[in-house]
């Protein structure tokens, strides 16, 4: 048993603004604990504005005001070297980025500079991390592209000459060219058509397998999680509400929110009427008291209104934050 | 008065691409035909990837783009013969659009209730006293109310709520046909089902016909009566939705169905070296 590649403990990150004496606080990430194993694909699911992207930013140490980390730690383990993102200096973090920890962003069209050839994007991102001569650098990049079944000619193309799927593949190649130990993918397939999406997911899986890195995969599309991730964490309104091996979460969801998500998925071959979830996701500036899901929860009890359910382990590898699913956690 | 609501006959649209010296033509839509009956409201789904011409077809049905070949007839009237403000308004009252991205469909600097009032006044032609009532009725049909929406800006509503406001706006003139171009693709998976259920209710309870354009086969299976599958401007397969999606015949339809990720199916996964 080796150490996990990433341990997040008690992480709390709020947006704090103060304009003309009006204080506002948005609790985007509240008390999140989880770990990602080596060579593991960990999925994070949740609807928009549930704090997924903020969580990713805090993990990747990309905090800019007004976002503030109030508590908790994010510790990476790069081949035995532990790096605490919020204790390490600026310099150390800079050295880690892209070399050990890289990022596949949403909307590949916005990642590549539209007025420069793809080659220049590779130079900008990766040259100083690979640290070889120009000729050798080109050789490394071309080898990497070939392994990902991309033609080396894409280096001489401008982003607009490539299709959306191709640009997303280039963005993946860009994020993995330094063979990082840890990759974060933020909705990399959301804007793509189904056939293209399947190809891009296969590519992510291949590259992860080849490098043997750990991967955090964020999307709101549960079908993608079912086909890619080993373990799945479900987020609701800034908190992690359930976690477990993907197939078990789908087979037997514990939290009422997860149950709704899984049961409302449309499937080919199934035309049974399905019910949508009533109400809207809560505002993180003024979240409901107690369990943040209780205003929309079909099985809410009195205890849910006043008390925050803790995340408890209910079975090996399965955690849930719900007083109904885990009665022993009730106060 | 014929019983056909809309008839699309051998419709094609060609765009000229390129500059002065490298001119070539792209056939966005190539001889597509189908018809919908007035007496039988249904959800007619057009499936295709980006670049398959499905949005161009929708724009032609909405009379925003003229076909270069063939004709579209709405209740027997050829759309290309619609002239003058009054005739156009009459057409707009009967055929209403819902667009893909609700955040782009609404101006971020204007309050959303204003769109409902404008549609009630100008398109539906209601007198001032009935405008608010019509907006409220339409909002109640989509599970919202004017009290919730009044004075709100688009950024204050979630994507699902905003898309429901867009649908409510389309309902105000009581159209016979709604053209919904990817209405759920920008909405979270968890909210999709409520918008899709809403389209279903419009058909079942209000007797509206809906042309539903999407690339999502799962929701298409869930609500459609008939579908056509388009590729590069041409219809490759058409028929009853359940039959086509259960047993697709054309190689492209088969590939499309195979690419859909099933929530139950798990493909092969890598072995985890260490568990956390």
């Amino acid at each position: 048993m080796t150490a996990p590649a990433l341990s997040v403990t008690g992480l709390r990150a709020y947006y704090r603004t103060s304009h003309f004496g009006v204080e506002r606080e948005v609790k985007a990430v509240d008390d999140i604990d989880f770990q990602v194993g080596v060579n593991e694909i960990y999925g994070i699911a949740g609807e928009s504005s549930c704090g997924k992207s903020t969580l990713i930013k805090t993990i990747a140490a990309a905090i800019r005001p007004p976002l503030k980390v109030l508590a908790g730690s994010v510790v990476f383990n790069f081949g035995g070297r532990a790096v605490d993102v919020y204790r390490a200096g600026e310099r150390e973090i800079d050295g880690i980025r892209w070399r050990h920890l890289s990022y596949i962003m949403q909307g590949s069209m916005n990642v590549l500079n539209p007025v420069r050839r793809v080659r220049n994007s590779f130079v900008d991102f990766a040259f100083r991390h690979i640290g070889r001569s120009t000729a050798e650098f080109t050789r490394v990049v071309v080898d990497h592209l070939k392994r990902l079944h991309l033609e080396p000619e894409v280096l001489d193309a401008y982003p607009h000459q490539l299709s959306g799927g191709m640009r997303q593949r280039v963005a993946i190649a860009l994020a993995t060219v330094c063979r990082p130990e840890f990759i974060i993918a933020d909705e990399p397939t959301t804007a793509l058509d189904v056939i293209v999406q399947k190809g891009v997911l296969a590519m992510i899986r291949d590259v992860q397998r080849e490098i043997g890195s750990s991967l955090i995969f964020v999307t709101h599309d549960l079908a993608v999680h079912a086909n890619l991730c080993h373990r799945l964490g479900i987020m609701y309104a800034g908190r992690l509400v359930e976690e477990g091996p993907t197939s078990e979460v789908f087979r037997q969801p514990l939290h009422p929110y997860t149950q709704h998500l899984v049961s409302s998925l449309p499937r080919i071959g199934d035309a049974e009427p399905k019910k949508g979830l009533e109400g809207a996701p809560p505002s993180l500036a003024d979240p409901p008291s107690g369990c943040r899901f209780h205003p929309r929860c079909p099985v809410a009890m009195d205890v849910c209104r006043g008390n925050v359910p803790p995340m408890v382990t209910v079975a090996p590898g399965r955690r849930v934050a719900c007083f109904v699913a885990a009665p022993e956690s009730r106060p | 008065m014929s019983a056909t609501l809309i008839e699309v006959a051998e419709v094609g649209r060609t765009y000229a691409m390129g500059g002065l010296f490298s001119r070539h033509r792209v056939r966005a839509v190539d001889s597509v035909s189908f018809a919908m009956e007035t007496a039988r409201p249904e959800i007619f789904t057009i499936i295709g990837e980006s670049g398959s011409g499905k949005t161009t077809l929708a724009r032609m049905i909405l009379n925003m783009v003229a076909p270069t070949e063939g004709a579209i007839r709405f209740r027997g009237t050829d759309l290309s013969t619609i002239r003058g403000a009054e005739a156009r308004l009459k057409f707009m009252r009967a055929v209403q659009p819902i667009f893909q991205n609700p955040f782009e469909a609404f101006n971020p600097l204007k309050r959303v209730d204003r769109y409902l009032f404008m549609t009630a006044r100008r398109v539906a032609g209601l007198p001032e006293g009935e405008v608010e009532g019509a907006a409220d009725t339409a909002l109640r049909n989509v599970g919202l109310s004017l009290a919730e929406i009044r004075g709100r800006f688009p950024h204050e509503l979630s994507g699902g709520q905003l898309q429901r406001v867009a649908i409510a706006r389309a309902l105000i003139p009581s159209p016979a046909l709604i053209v919904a171009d990817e209405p759920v693709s920008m909405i979270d998976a968890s909210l999709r089902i409520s918008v899709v259920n809403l389209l279903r209710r419009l058909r079942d309870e209000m007797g509206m016909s809906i042309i539903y354009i999407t690339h999502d086969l799962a929701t298409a299976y869930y609500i459609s009566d008939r579908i056509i599958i388009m590729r590069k401007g041409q219809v490759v397969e058409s028929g009853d939705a359940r039959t086509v999606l259960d047993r697709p015949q054309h190689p492209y339809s088969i590939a499309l169905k195979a690419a859909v990720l099933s929530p139950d199916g798990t493909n092969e996964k890598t072995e985890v070296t260490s568990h956390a």
Side-chain angles (χ1 to χ4, degrees):
Chain A
M1 207 67 162
T2 42
L6 167 70
S7 328
V8 175
T9 337
L11 190 63
R12 196 175 287 182
Y14 294 174
Y15 290 90
R16 273 200 177 149
T17 53
S18 163
H19 286 305
F20 311 110
V22 181
E23 303 263 339
R24 247 172 79 94
E25 191 174 68
V26 175
K27 298 172 177 141
V29 169
D30 218 357
D31 258 330
I32 287 190
D33 289 284
F34 70 97
Q35 298 184 323
V36 180
V38 175
N39 207 4
E40 180 179 44
I41 305 183
Y42 187 90
I44 295 176
E47 47 203 337
S48 8
S49 74
C50 77
K52 286 181 307 214
S53 298
T54 310
L55 177 62
I56 293 303
K57 275 186 212 158
T58 44
I59 291 172
I63 305 284
R64 298 276 175 282
L67 180 59
K68 264 198 181 132
V69 173
L70 284 106
S73 67
V74 176
V75 181
F76 284 99
N77 179 6
F78 297 123
R81 186 162 66 104
V83 180
D84 184 336
V85 168
Y86 292 103
R87 302 244 153 65
E90 193 86 352
R91 255 221 145 97
E92 197 179 354
I93 298 290
D94 265 358
I96 287 164
R97 281 213 188 103
W98 226 257
R99 183 80 191 83
H100 298 283
L101 167 68
S102 85
Y103 192 31
I104 303 171
M105 278 152 276
Q106 184 177 10
S108 48
M109 36 293 271
N110 309 328
V111 177
L112 303 167
N113 189 335
V115 295
R116 305 185 75 198
R117 293 181 197 276
V118 170
R119 177 190 304 277
N120 292 316
S121 294
F122 272 90
V123 172
D124 288 348
F125 276 96
F127 186 73
R128 71 194 186 99
H129 294 294
I130 288 179
R132 311 235 184 110
S133 67
T134 315
E136 254 185 282
F137 174 75
T138 309
R139 206 177 42 85
V140 169
V141 170
V142 168
D143 280 352
H144 185 65
L145 290 175
K146 277 188 185 151
R147 268 201 305 274
L148 299 178
H149 307 290
L150 285 168
E151 298 294 323
E153 281 78 55
V154 297
L155 287 177
D156 293 314
Y158 285 98
H160 74 265
Q161 295 171 317
L162 306 171
S163 67
M166 202 66 170
R167 277 192 298 240
Q168 194 63 60
R169 281 161 200 267
V170 169
I172 294 167
L174 191 56
T176 52
V177 68
C178 300
R179 307 176 70 81
E181 285 109 318
F182 207 98
I183 304 168
I184 297 170
D186 188 7
E187 308 242 8
T189 61
T190 303
L192 304 176
D193 285 324
V194 279
I195 291 181
V196 182
Q197 164 173 292
K198 197 181 182 198
V200 169
L201 289 177
M203 181 178 175
I204 291 177
R205 196 184 294 127
D206 286 349
V207 74
Q208 183 268 339
R209 196 174 297 175
E210 201 226 312
I211 303 177
S213 46
S214 310
L215 180 71
I216 288 186
F217 195 96
V218 179
T219 176
H220 64 81
D221 191 344
L222 282 177
V224 173
H225 284 301
N227 285 274
L228 186 75
C229 304
H230 300 112
R231 285 195 305 144
L232 185 59
I234 311 276
M235 268 185 92
Y236 184 80
R239 288 173 181 278
L240 209 55
V241 295
E242 181 165 358
E243 183 196 71
T246 312
S247 51
E248 284 182 38
V249 172
F250 275 89
R251 207 180 56 232
Q252 195 195 25
L254 297 174
H255 197 280
Y257 178 62
T258 322
Q259 286 166 357
H260 160 74
L261 287 183
V262 172
S263 69
S264 71
L265 278 176
R267 294 169 163 88
I268 295 182
D270 172 14
E272 284 294 301
K274 296 176 192 302
K275 280 185 72 164
L277 192 59
E278 291 301 312
S283 155
L284 293 173
D286 181 23
S289 63
C291 174
R292 289 182 180 179
F293 187 60
H294 85 255
R296 299 168 85 187
C297 183
V299 292
M301 305 175 295
D302 281 340
V303 65
C304 306
R305 289 182 187 98
N307 299 282
V308 179
M311 192 80 165
V312 290
T313 306
V314 288
R318 294 212 63 180
R319 295 191 298 155
V320 66
C322 176
F323 291 132
V324 178
E328 68 277 10
S329 65
R330 278 178 215 166
Chain B
M1 185 93 184
S2 85
T4 317
L5 181 66
I6 191 155
E7 187 193 356
V8 176
E10 299 286 319
V11 162
R13 170 79 209 189
T14 315
Y15 287 106
M17 299 279 284
L20 201 55
F21 300 106
S22 59
R23 247 178 134 63
H24 62 282
R25 292 177 163 276
V26 175
R27 298 193 77 129
V29 176
D30 195 359
S31 60
V32 173
S33 302
F34 64 87
M36 293 168 80
E37 305 289 324
T38 313
R40 204 158 42 87
E42 63 174 333
I43 297 180
F44 185 87
T45 300
I46 302 171
I47 287 179
E49 292 188 61
S50 34
S52 64
K54 57 190 192 313
T55 298
T56 305
L57 184 58
R59 295 172 79 89
M60 288 194 287
I61 294 167
L62 288 167
N63 205 12
M64 294 160 80
V65 174
T68 43
E69 294 123 47
I72 300 175
R73 279 179 284 276
F74 181 75
R75 288 177 172 157
T77 317
D78 190 332
L79 296 192
S80 62
T81 64
I82 293 179
R83 294 273 185 279
E86 198 158 325
R88 294 189 77 86
L89 207 57
K90 188 167 162 248
F91 174 75
M92 280 163 70
R93 244 172 246 158
V95 182
Q96 277 286 321
I98 299 166
F99 295 107
Q100 178 171 10
N101 189 344
F103 291 99
E104 284 175 9
F106 289 99
N107 183 335
L109 299 177
K110 287 183 180 161
R111 298 174 203 275
V112 288
D113 51 1
R114 184 190 139 106
Y115 283 88
L116 299 164
F117 298 152
M118 293 290 258
T119 305
R121 258 180 229 129
R122 298 217 181 139
V123 181
L126 294 175
E128 198 54 49
E130 291 170 29
V131 165
E132 292 208 353
D136 193 45
T137 313
L139 284 168
R140 285 185 190 282
N141 274 321
V142 300
L144 296 166
S145 69
L146 188 56
E148 287 173 71
I149 298 303
R150 192 192 292 275
R152 302 273 214 117
F153 285 99
H155 72 266
E156 296 177 82
L157 300 172
S158 74
Q161 283 178 314
L162 209 50
Q163 193 64 294
R164 282 191 283 169
V165 175
I167 296 174
R169 191 211 58 78
L171 294 181
I172 289 176
S174 311
L177 178 67
I178 286 181
V179 180
D181 188 359
E182 304 245 15
V184 294
S185 67
M186 299 303 288
I187 300 178
D188 276 335
S190 59
L191 296 169
R192 261 179 214 178
I193 206 78
S194 59
V195 173
V196 170
N197 278 341
L198 179 57
L199 294 180
R200 204 179 174 140
R201 255 192 53 220
L202 298 183
R203 172 195 65 186
D204 295 342
E205 291 172 21
M206 304 174 77
M208 287 181 192
S209 291
I210 294 162
I211 294 180
Y212 175 58
I213 297 167
T214 186
H215 63 252
D216 178 8
L217 272 70
T219 56
Y221 188 95
Y222 180 60
I223 60 167
S224 318
D225 299 299
R226 283 192 296 154
I227 65 167
I228 57 175
I229 297 177
M230 286 183 75
R231 187 192 188 198
K232 294 185 178 163
Q234 287 174 326
V235 175
V236 296
E237 193 161 348
S238 67
D240 174 68
R242 306 275 147 75
T243 318
V244 169
L245 290 175
D246 280 331
R247 280 181 302 281
Q249 303 295 321
H250 190 277
Y252 177 73
S253 322
I254 295 168
L256 205 59
K257 191 185 168 189
V260 175
L261 299 170
S262 157
D264 318 300
T266 43
N267 294 2
E268 78 296 8
K269 287 175 187 164
T270 44
E271 285 298 305
V272 185
T273 314
S274 87
H275 257 303

